[in-house]
Every structure is written in C-alpha cells, then in structure tokens.
Amino acid sequence: MVFKRLLGSLGVGGPTVDTVLDPAPVRPGGTLTGQVHLKGGTAGFDIESITLELVARVEAEHAKGESEGAVTFERFTVGGGFRLAEGEERSVPFSVTLPWETPITELYGQALGIALGVRTELSVAGAKDKGDLDQLNIAPLPAQEAILEALGQLGFGFRSADLEYGRIGGTGQQLPFYQELELTPAPPYAHQVNEIELTFLANPGGLEVVLEADRRGGLFSSGHDALTRFTVGHHEARDWNTEVDGWIRQLVEHRASCGAHAGHGHDDHHHDGHRSGPGMGTAVAAGAAGLAVGVVGGMVAAEVVDEVGDFFEGDEEDEG
C-alpha cells in the first residue's frame, strides 16, 4: 500500500501517506512501533498533526436486530508541526502504548477472525483526511495464552470470536466493547453446557477472566446462563490445567439464581451489553479437539480471512 492514499480533502496534487507497522509481535498493553511515510504533492503543505487511530469491527444488538460497524477506541498524535515541501519524502517514526484491553487477534500465530486496524489521519491546512486502515495483529499475554492452552488440553474447542459492544458489570472494563471467545465444551461437561463464553479484561496489575456457561436445561427445567469472574496476575506460576478445570467446575455447578459470591477471587455479575452467539462470520472450525498448539493451526475456516479482508477493503472503498 505504498503511497496509494491521496488526501481527498485537498484534491489532486495533495500529499500522500502510507503507514508501515513494524512486524514484531505486539501484545495488549505493549508498544506498537512503525513509521508514517509522507510524500509531498505538487505544492508545499503545512502538516499540522499526524494521528493514529485504533479501529475495531464491533457487533452491537439493538431493537431492530444486530449490526456491526467500526469503532475507534484509541487515538495517538505522533507528529506534525512541519512543512512538507513539494515532492518531499519524509518518514515519521512512532512508538505508542496499546490499551491493556486491546483484543487479541491470533493464537499461536493462527488468526481468530478479529478485524483490528490502525488508521492514519493527517491534519493539513485546516482539513483532516483519514488514510489507509492497516491490519493490526495482537498476540495474547502470557496469562491469556496459558489459560487458553489449558482449556485446549482439557478438551475445550474454539468455536468463534467476536467483539461485542457494551459493558460487563462488576468488572474494571475500560473500552466500550469486550472480546468474546466461544468454546465448545469438553466431553465431561457436554451434557451440562452448550458452550462456554470467555472474556479477558487485562489491566496493568493482572487479568480479569470472565466465564459464562450457556447451560443445558433438564427434562423439567429450562436452560439458563451462569456467570463468574476470576482474577490472576500477569506472570503467576500455577498448575493451569487444575486451576482452569476448577473454574469450569465452579461455573457449571454454580446456581445462577443464588446471587451471592461463589467464593474468593470471583463473583457474579451481569452484562450491561449483550452476549450473543457466533457473529460477523468469525467462526473458526477448530471443533472440540482443543485450543493447544498444532490443533487450531491450519483449521481456520476460509471465511474468517475473507471477512477480515472485506472489512479493510470495504473501509478503503468507503473512504473513496
């Protein structure tokens, strides 16, 4: 995407911009680095500011059903205050810190189908124009990876991932949306649970792990959801298989109607937003085999890549 975005607000002859992200893996709360490449147009222009926006494709539920759209969840001013001469080429390096709740987009290098990007905005001569939307890849934090690997070894499978607009009550959530990972149940729980929904809410001190079980109904009872929350440090040494299995057991056995704390380190809460089923075409065909290394790899459905690609291509068309 070298210099293909022309500043439409300035017309033909305006400067062009291309942002290149460094290829090093980035994690939530980590540092994103790269360079903004500028090329002057047919005249000199004063570059007032260069701003990077973090943009995510988010699903929302409303009275008329479900919809999806782009949500900007962070902005960074990384340069500006200089004149770009006619035909001049200039690169502006940047280093910015990502929000701790930035969604993860991959697991063991395998894409999860989450559309996350960086858009560059130039403010030139009093006019603002948004440039390319470049795909942003986020790897999990060590604790997130350990929990997901434990779930895979316990027999849970990856079903889908999406971003839901809304807030989870009783947590320290900061962003206006949360990431939801939907898992197929491990065999020991398959008769009790339809699926497990997992949300990570990271912060500087650790990780909130929100689990929701879509419980099966019995012969004389209807199915209902149970929610619980756990907190872990970023680099704790635990027997993660035993720990996570204990979480699932407490979640499945917990009575959603009791309303009391189920034990130290976790509590009941309710969503101010919405917990939906698979959305935005992000289903990943990992099945019930697990999430561990070598299981998810190579099993992602083709539509995941297509959906994410369409988000960025569609955005460029809209920017026109």
Side-chain angles (χ1 to χ4, degrees):
M1 296 192 294
V2 179
F3 301 129
K4 72 177 182 179
R5 179 63 64 185
L6 182 69
L7 282 179
S9 58
L10 296 177
V12 176
T16 54
V17 59
D18 180 53
T19 298
V20 178
L21 306 178
D22 289 343
V26 187
R27 301 179 190 274
T31 302
L32 175 68
T33 58
Q35 296 197 34
V36 178
H37 300 300
L38 301 172
K39 185 173 183 179
T42 57
F45 286 91
D46 290 322
I47 307 298
E48 297 170 357
S49 65
I50 305 171
T51 303
L52 301 181
E53 295 181 341
L54 301 186
V55 181
R57 182 180 62 184
V58 178
E59 184 179 85
E61 181 170 291
H62 44 78
K64 295 183 179 180
E66 292 185 350
S67 62
E68 61 182 53
V71 172
T72 298
F73 62 97
E74 187 61 279
R75 289 171 58 90
F76 309 96
T77 298
V78 297
F82 60 87
R83 185 168 182 80
L84 188 68
E86 176 184 351
E88 178 187 357
E89 295 186 8
R90 181 182 295 211
S91 293
V92 178
F94 61 84
S95 177
V96 298
T97 302
L98 298 179
W100 280 98
E101 290 179 18
T102 300
I104 60 174
T105 65
E106 62 182 41
L107 178 61
Y108 306 117
Q110 184 66 61
L112 300 180
I114 296 296
L116 203 65
V118 178
R119 196 202 321 269
T120 309
E121 178 185 274
L122 290 187
S123 179
V124 182
K128 293 184 178 181
D129 195 274
K130 298 180 187 297
D132 291 322
L133 183 60
D134 298 290
Q135 186 167 339
L136 177 60
N137 298 316
I138 304 296
L141 292 163
Q144 292 173 328
E145 187 171 302
I147 292 167
L148 290 169
E149 183 165 351
L151 285 164
Q153 292 179 358
L154 290 169
F156 291 85
F158 185 71
R159 176 172 288 164
S160 71
D162 60 16
L163 304 180
E164 299 280 352
Y165 189 79
R167 295 189 176 275
I168 304 177
T171 70
Q173 182 183 344
Q174 299 295 312
L175 296 184
F177 59 85
Y178 56 89
Q179 183 172 24
E180 183 176 87
L181 304 175
E182 297 180 352
L183 312 176
T184 57
Y189 302 105
H191 66 290
Q192 297 172 287
V193 177
N194 290 317
E195 70 178 12
I196 297 290
E197 295 171 346
L198 168 65
T199 294
F200 293 121
L201 297 173
N203 58 67
L207 191 68
E208 287 184 87
V209 183
V210 182
L211 290 168
E212 179 175 358
D214 179 9
R215 300 174 65 175
R216 295 186 183 277
L219 183 61
F220 300 105
S221 64
S222 60
H224 55 278
D225 292 344
L227 262 73
T228 191
R229 178 176 62 90
F230 303 85
T231 302
V232 300
H234 283 301
H235 300 284
E236 292 186 22
R238 301 191 184 191
D239 178 348
W240 286 109
N241 283 23
T242 300
E243 183 85 8
V244 172
D245 188 54
W247 293 351
I248 299 297
R249 289 182 181 277
Q250 290 185 33
L251 174 66
V252 171
E253 295 170 0
H254 178 66
R255 294 183 179 181
S257 60
C258 72
H261 293 303
H264 177 69
H266 62 281
D267 55 50
D268 298 318
H269 63 282
H270 299 283
H271 290 269
D272 296 326
H274 169 67
R275 285 280 202 181
S276 75
M280 303 187 296
T282 59
V284 177
L291 292 158
V293 178
V295 177
V296 176
M299 299 184 70
V300 174
E303 59 263 27
V304 168
V305 178
D306 293 341
E307 288 277 346
V308 174
D310 290 345
F311 174 66
F312 292 100
E313 291 174 6
D315 179 87
E316 292 176 3
E317 293 172 0
D318 292 341
E319 294 288 338

